[in-house]
Amino acid sequence: TMTETAPPCRWQIANTGKSSSGSISMYYGDLTSMTFACGHNAGTATSPEITLMPGVAYSLTFDANVDVESNTVYDTLDLFVVVGGQEVLIWDKSEMITTDTWYSYSVDLSAMAGHTFHLRFSFNTHDETSNESTGIYIDDLEITSGCLPKPCVDDLGCDDGVSQTLESCSLDGCEYVVP
C-alpha cells in the first residue's frame, strides 16, 4: 500500500533506469520531473503481511540510492515494522550514505521471529526547499535466515539495535519482546 500527501510525488514501482539489479525499483518522487519537488511532501510504502517462523535469527537487506539532503532533519527516510498496528522504528537515514550511488544496508529482524508484521518505508521532506534532486530508490529487499537461533553468551549479544525491543539471552539463544 502506498500513500502520499502531494501527488505526483509518491512511492511507486517503476522502470526509471535506476535499479541495483533488473530493470525496476521502488522510487519516491515524481516520474515526470524525476525530482521530489512537490512542495512539502511525504509518503509511505507498506508491504503485505509478513510472518516469520519463531526461534530463528533473521536479517533484512536492501539496496538504496538516495539523492536527498544529507542532514537528518530534512528529507527523512525511516523504515518501520508495523506490529499490531504499532510502528517500531528499525532503521533511519542517519545510518546511510546520502549520495546518488547504490549502497546495501542490513537490519537485524530477529526480534520479529514468530510475529506477523508489515515493513513500512516512510519519507518526509519536512519543507519545500532543496527538493530538486532525483529522490530515493529502494531495490533488492530480502529477508534471510540461517534457520538457527541467534547465538549469545549474554544479553548484550542479543542487541538488535532497535530501542523498542527487549532482548535477553537464554540457553536456546536470543529471545525478544516486541511491545
Side-chain angles (χ1 to χ4, degrees):
T1 305
M2 303 199 189
T3 66
E4 72 272 348
T5 61
C9 286
R10 65 175 157 258
W11 286 106
Q12 51 216 308
I13 306 297
N15 182 349
T16 62
K18 278 194 179 180
S19 62
S20 62
S21 68
S23 60
I24 62 170
S25 61
M26 186 169 71
Y27 169 66
Y28 186 88
D30 172 6
L31 284 173
T32 302
S33 68
M34 293 309 294
T35 71
F36 58 102
C38 301
H40 173 210
N41 62 91
T44 62
T46 305
S47 74
E49 272 191 351
I50 300 167
T51 302
L52 300 179
M53 291 178 38
V56 297
Y58 291 93
S59 180
L60 167 71
T61 57
F62 63 94
D63 296 339
N65 181 312
V66 179
D67 189 14
V68 300
E69 292 180 76
S70 61
N71 66 60
T72 57
V73 176
Y74 299 103
D75 300 348
T76 56
L77 175 63
D78 299 309
L79 176 58
F80 299 94
V81 291
V82 182
V83 183
Q86 179 182 342
E87 287 185 333
V88 177
L89 181 67
I90 60 170
W91 182 91
D92 64 34
K93 186 178 88 172
S94 68
E95 300 180 37
M96 72 183 320
I97 300 166
T98 54
T99 181
D100 192 11
T101 303
W102 287 100
Y103 288 94
S104 293
Y105 300 94
S106 181
V107 178
D108 186 347
L109 276 187
S110 299
M112 295 299 110
H115 292 277
T116 297
F117 61 94
H118 299 271
L119 292 172
R120 177 174 293 152
F121 281 95
S122 177
F123 178 71
N124 190 330
T125 62
H126 297 282
D127 67 3
E128 298 176 2
T129 61
S130 301
N131 297 342
E132 293 78 27
S133 56
T134 57
I136 298 172
Y137 302 84
I138 305 290
D139 203 3
D140 293 342
L141 188 134
E142 181 177 43
I143 297 174
T144 58
S145 175
C147 297
L148 296 171
K150 185 173 180 179
C152 59
V153 293
D154 59 23
D155 292 348
L156 287 175
C158 296
D159 186 3
D160 61 358
V162 177
S163 63
Q164 292 172 283
T165 59
L166 302 173
E167 306 91 4
S168 62
C169 182
S170 73
L171 293 175
D172 295 326
C174 294
E175 296 179 357
Y176 300 90
V177 175
V178 180

